[in-house]
Amino acid sequence: MVNAYSFDGLIVFVLLTICTCGYMRRVPKLREWFFSEKKGFAGIFYKASIIGTRLSLVVAISCVTMAFWLAFLR
C-alpha cells in the first residue's frame, strides 16, 4: 500500500497521471474533450499527455522501476 503523502505516493500519482493522459491523447473523442485547453488547471492534463507521448520510453522504464521498487524493495 502506498501512502498518499509520501514521496513514493507522489511519484506513483505523477506516473499514473502521465500514463493515463498519454493513453487518452490517442483516443480522438477524449482528445477533443480533455486536451482542448492548454492553460490553467486543465492544461496540466495537456502537458502530461505531451510528456507521455514524447517520452514514452522513459515513462515506461520509470513505471517498471517504480513497480519493482514498491513490490520488492519497500
Side-chain angles (χ1 to χ4, degrees), residues 2-11 74:
V2 177
N3 187 2
Y5 300 110
S6 68
F7 187 66
D8 295 338
L10 180 66
I11 291 175
R74 188 156 188 236

Side-chain angles (χ1 to χ4, degrees), residues 36-57:
S36 61
E37 188 66 36
K38 295 180 182 172
K39 293 182 181 176
F41 181 73
I44 293 171
F45 300 118
Y46 174 76
K47 292 171 186 171
S49 71
I50 295 295
I51 291 171
T53 55
R54 290 186 183 169
L55 298 175
S56 59
L57 181 63

